[in-house]
Amino acid sequence: MASSSSSPVGPRGAGTSVGAAWSGAPYPVLVVDRDGGIVDLNDVARTLLPGVARGDRLHDAVPGWLTEAHRLLARGPQESAPGHRSGSLGDRVFDAHPTASDDGDVVWWLVDDTDRRLAREALRSEQERTGILAEVSSALLSSLNVTRCMELTAHMAADHLADAAVVIAPAQGRRHPLTYACKDGAVLQANRVIDPATVPGLAEALRGFPPVPTRWINPDDIPPWAVPAGFAGPLGSVIVTPLPGHGVPAGALMLLRSSTERAFSEGEEIFARLFAARAGAALSAARMYAEQADITATLMRELLPPTLTQVHGVEYAGSYRPARDNERVGGDFYDVHPGTDPSHESLVVLGDVAGKGLEAAVLTGKIRNTLHALLPLAGDHEQMLNLLNSALLTSHHTRFATLVLASALRRAGRVHLRLTSAGHPPPLVVRRNGTVEEVATRGTLVGAMPSVIAETTETVLAPGETCLLYTDGITEARGGPMGGELFGDRRLRQALSECGGLPAEAVVERVQMLAAQWIGGGRHDDMATVAVSAPKSGALRVVNGDVPIDGSEIWHRRKG
């Protein structure tokens, strides 16, 4: 470095080497010789290090980190680490940048790095918290199970926010579902009768009120039920915050920290509320989903076709396949309404509502309920259909339906059927020898015209014979080698001709299997089938009676 003899404040060696600019620098500057003696310092350095003067030893005036940095630099560049050094002076952090002269003196420029470090730490902390919140949202929103959400909330709160966490759900009756978690420990759940008033701020948090500051909560007031088993050390600091939901509080969150750790800071309280807001939203969504799933399941049970079996000596079997594999209900439906006793007819209903999916399923539910109410009039099919027609015309639905009604009664080992079609494909009867007969019943649609005109036809099934009711989803199923050919009436009749003498369940399974094979993976309409069969053998018994009686006796008793 060039020497500057005109420097008014230049000290020996270093001053003449680096010029006078350092004396007016806004940073503290120390000039130190190679032996560790302070040659000079500027006014800013004197303010930072009061009592330090020229001639003092560096190790007596500054912290060890700067003394060690100077010692290494004085021994030669090969001994010193590259770049600047940093450390604390008082309550501030400084970066020390050396400028060495040819005579061995070193000018140490001390740059205050405290604010930058604080900003960087705040940014790092904020990024970490943002990452935690993103992780919480991703984990919680990926599950719509209430129990799983509570477990994840307690587990993640204990891992990221405190030493332990407790999630208190709204009361179910007299008990509150509780979820406990300790850092790096197992998550435990319990249902307990608790008094929220025993925890400061908990009763308010469960009602959705803002949390009380943690400094207002005395850890000694926390009851034993609120501390997870395995919590290490005495309780030192507590946060109680609500879990906000969608209009209704989703519960409350308690965060516990041991007395061996520092107390929760104001920033941690704020972050706990942000965490609780994410967790509360997920818990609320999971509860809403669970409630809707329960409602859907309840309604679905009413919309699903019933399981059919033998009733009053007559075999019934049904099968239903919705148009979409991801749906369970649609526009096709069937029901069997047993007679009050073996001497009364049972009513079989199979129908097809225009359209498919949930909207069509809702109308099927209305039709099924209406027909159930009209059962006392089942002796007159046409009257039943007209009353149903009036109910559909006065509703907000704009869809129509086709129906076939069958009243079945067993007598003398045979099944006597009365069949009425309302715009529906005619029923087919399979005799024991494989002959397939069409039942000549015709009628108009239901829900389309002011009245229904229908023709009722009677037939008799001998033991081993079956009457098949089906929807047009069977005959109009498209598939085959080219993918566009209808299954059709001819193939259905051919399939039934091979079912002579088979029980009702085997007949419907055979028809549905062949139709499914025909369409392959292609699209199709709802497909429903119901088979009514006369059993091959077996005497009919009176309910709770001891004497087998013939169906003809029952019929004559009814007529007599």
Side-chain angles (χ1 to χ4, degrees):
M1 295 183 183
S3 177
S4 177
S5 59
S6 62
S7 174
V9 293
R12 177 191 58 79
T16 58
S17 298
V18 299
W22 65 268
S23 62
Y27 309 113
V29 178
L30 295 174
V31 182
V32 186
D33 62 26
R34 70 175 61 200
D35 296 323
I38 297 177
V39 177
D40 206 350
L41 65 166
N42 66 356
D43 292 340
V44 181
R46 291 188 180 94
T47 302
L48 176 66
L49 302 169
V52 177
R54 297 178 182 179
D56 290 348
R57 303 300 298 173
L58 185 64
H59 62 79
D60 295 329
V62 300
W65 66 268
L66 185 56
T67 302
E68 180 64 15
H70 182 76
R71 185 184 67 80
L72 292 175
L73 189 65
R75 291 174 59 181
Q78 68 279 5
E79 296 291 338
S80 62
H84 60 266
R85 291 78 175 166
S86 62
S88 299
L89 284 172
D91 60 351
R92 309 293 289 179
V93 178
F94 289 86
D95 285 343
H97 299 267
T99 301
S101 65
D102 293 338
D103 57 8
D105 291 348
V106 178
V107 178
W108 287 99
W109 308 78
L110 305 180
V111 180
D112 192 336
D113 195 42
T114 306
D115 293 337
R116 188 184 68 84
R117 286 172 180 260
L118 289 175
R120 186 171 60 188
E121 179 61 24
L123 177 61
R124 184 200 62 78
S125 178
E126 189 61 30
Q127 289 174 334
E128 179 180 338
R129 290 179 175 181
T130 300
I132 292 173
L133 292 178
E135 180 184 354
V136 168
S137 297
S138 176
L140 291 176
L141 294 176
S142 65
S143 173
L144 289 175
N145 181 280
V146 176
T147 300
R148 178 60 176 160
C149 279
M150 291 180 65
E151 290 178 347
L152 284 172
T153 298
H155 172 71
M156 300 183 78
D159 278 357
H160 297 299
L161 279 72
D163 296 328
V166 184
V167 176
I168 303 98
Q172 297 178 357
R174 298 178 58 245
R175 295 177 175 270
H176 286 265
L178 306 175
T179 305
Y180 299 93
C182 291
K183 189 186 292 288
D184 301 325
V187 178
L188 302 177
Q189 291 197 321
N191 279 278
R192 294 180 177 174
V193 177
I194 66 171
D195 182 5
T198 58
V199 177
L202 179 57
E204 293 79 7
L206 287 171
R207 293 197 295 269
F209 292 110
V212 299
T214 187
R215 63 181 180 275
W216 292 4
I217 302 176
N218 183 356
D220 296 333
D221 294 337
I222 303 301
W225 67 260
V227 181
F231 180 76
L235 193 58
S237 186
V238 180
I239 290 177
V240 178
T241 185
L243 293 168
H246 300 290
V248 179
L253 173 66
M254 289 182 58
L255 301 176
L256 312 176
R257 185 168 283 175
S258 170
S259 60
T260 59
E261 303 290 335
R262 59 182 175 81
F264 289 109
S265 66
E266 183 178 354
E268 287 174 321
E269 286 189 66
I270 295 174
F271 180 63
R273 296 177 198 173
L274 294 175
F275 177 95
R278 302 287 181 97
L283 278 168
S284 181
R287 285 202 179 95
M288 290 176 62
Y289 174 80
E291 292 172 0
Q292 292 173 357
D294 288 342
I295 293 172
T296 301
T298 301
L299 296 175
M300 191 68 71
R301 283 194 295 270
E302 295 299 316
L303 294 175
L304 287 173
T307 300
L308 304 184
T309 183
Q310 187 175 120
V311 177
H312 299 328
V314 181
E315 284 187 359
Y316 301 97
S319 179
Y320 172 68
R321 180 179 180 181
R324 300 182 181 91
D325 292 336
N326 62 333
E327 295 178 348
R328 301 175 63 192
V329 295
D332 288 5
F333 65 96
Y334 57 80
D335 276 307
V336 172
H337 302 281
T340 55
D341 57 56
S343 66
H344 290 80
E345 294 175 321
S346 296
L347 180 68
V348 184
V349 181
L350 183 136
D352 182 0
V353 172
K356 56 179 73 72
L358 184 59
E359 187 176 352
V362 171
L363 184 55
T364 68
K366 181 183 177 84
I367 294 175
R368 292 171 70 185
N369 290 334
T370 303
L371 288 173
H372 191 272
L374 294 174
L375 282 178
L377 305 176
D380 187 339
H381 289 178
E382 188 171 358
Q383 183 183 12
M384 263 188 107
L385 292 171
N386 272 291
L387 290 173
L388 174 62
N389 185 69
S390 298
L392 294 183
L393 291 177
T394 56
S395 72
H396 67 278
H397 296 284
T398 58
R399 297 172 182 264
F400 59 86
T402 65
L403 288 170
V404 60
L405 305 180
S407 293
L409 179 70
R410 180 178 174 181
R411 53 178 174 146
R414 296 171 177 265
V415 175
H416 292 251
L417 291 176
R418 292 190 300 112
L419 298 130
T420 306
S421 173
H424 204 82
L428 298 175
V429 173
V430 186
R431 301 302 179 185
R432 292 195 63 171
N433 61 5
T435 302
V436 179
E437 301 173 1
E438 180 180 298
V439 179
T441 174
R442 299 288 187 272
T444 56
L445 300 170
V446 177
M449 303 295 290
S451 62
V452 174
I453 300 174
E455 178 183 348
T456 300
T457 302
E458 296 186 7
T459 190
V460 178
L461 302 179
E465 296 180 344
T466 299
C467 177
L468 182 72
L469 314 180
Y470 59 96
T471 59
D472 59 11
I474 297 291
T475 54
E476 295 180 4
R478 292 186 178 274
M482 303 303 293
E485 188 177 354
L486 295 178
F487 186 71
D489 294 329
R490 183 181 61 81
R491 289 186 179 85
L492 176 59
R493 289 170 178 263
Q494 176 61 37
L496 290 176
S497 68
E498 301 168 359
C499 297
L502 294 181
E505 186 174 358
V507 174
V508 297
E509 286 184 358
R510 174 69 174 169
V511 171
Q512 287 279 11
M513 180 188 69
L514 292 176
Q517 291 176 346
W518 182 257
I519 61 177
R523 299 176 60 184
H524 60 89
D525 199 356
D526 298 326
M527 297 189 296
T529 51
V530 172
V532 183
S533 296
K536 289 183 179 181
S537 61
L540 184 66
R541 291 183 178 270
V542 176
V543 177
N544 297 323
D546 297 324
V547 182
I549 62 175
D550 188 280
S552 61
E553 295 177 355
I554 297 173
W555 176 265
H556 292 311
R557 288 177 190 174
R558 178 188 173 200
K559 294 295 185 181

